[in-house]
Amino acid sequence: MAFVPQPANKSYFFDKGYRDMGNTIKGAWARNRMSIRHYRDNLGDLGDKNAVGKLFFGVVNVLAMAAVIVCGSIITAVITLANIAILVVFMGIVYIGFTAIWLVDRLYLIRKKDLYGLPRV
């Protein structure tokens, strides 16, 4: 009999699921850093403005960087924790469900005195 690959992705939640969650979190923090870099780069583009304009836009960009550093980091951290909590709960429910199904199957096989689950010949 030829080997036929199974269509299901075995153990997604405990391998690729964690990697996907990690990539999502890294992406959120990367976007936070990109926003900070954007405002920092704006400080270098003030050369064509007069002294008052440089001062005004310099202060605006510094305040924007501070807001992203403080508020953006807090919001990103809160959403990251919420994301982790939701996914852990969902993964736990799925894991408990699969464990319950496996346990019921094992109990059924033990009751029928068929410890291997093989068809009878």
Side-chain angles (χ1 to χ4, degrees), residues 72-94:
S73 296
I74 291 170
I75 291 169
T76 302
V78 168
I79 291 174
T80 295
L81 292 175
N83 185 16
I84 290 170
I86 290 167
L87 289 176
V88 165
V89 167
F90 180 71
M91 289 177 182
I93 290 169
V94 169

Side-chain angles (χ1 to χ4, degrees), residues 46-57:
L46 299 176
D48 61 342
K49 301 195 177 16
N50 61 24
V52 174
K54 284 181 184 181
L55 179 64
F56 175 75
F57 287 111

Side-chain angles (χ1 to χ4, degrees), residues 31-46:
R31 284 187 292 283
N32 201 34
R33 285 189 302 274
M34 281 184 353
S35 293
I36 294 167
R37 269 189 239 117
H38 169 72
Y39 292 119
R40 184 194 65 206
D41 293 343
N42 283 349
L43 290 174
D45 296 335
L46 299 176

Side-chain angles (χ1 to χ4, degrees), residues 114 117-121:
D114 182 5
L118 299 174
R120 301 197 186 268
V121 182

Side-chain angles (χ1 to χ4, degrees), residues 10 14-15 28 39 43 51 55 69 73 92 95:
K10 188 176 180 181
F14 302 105
D15 184 30
Y39 292 119
L43 290 174
L55 179 64
I69 290 169
S73 296
Y95 184 69

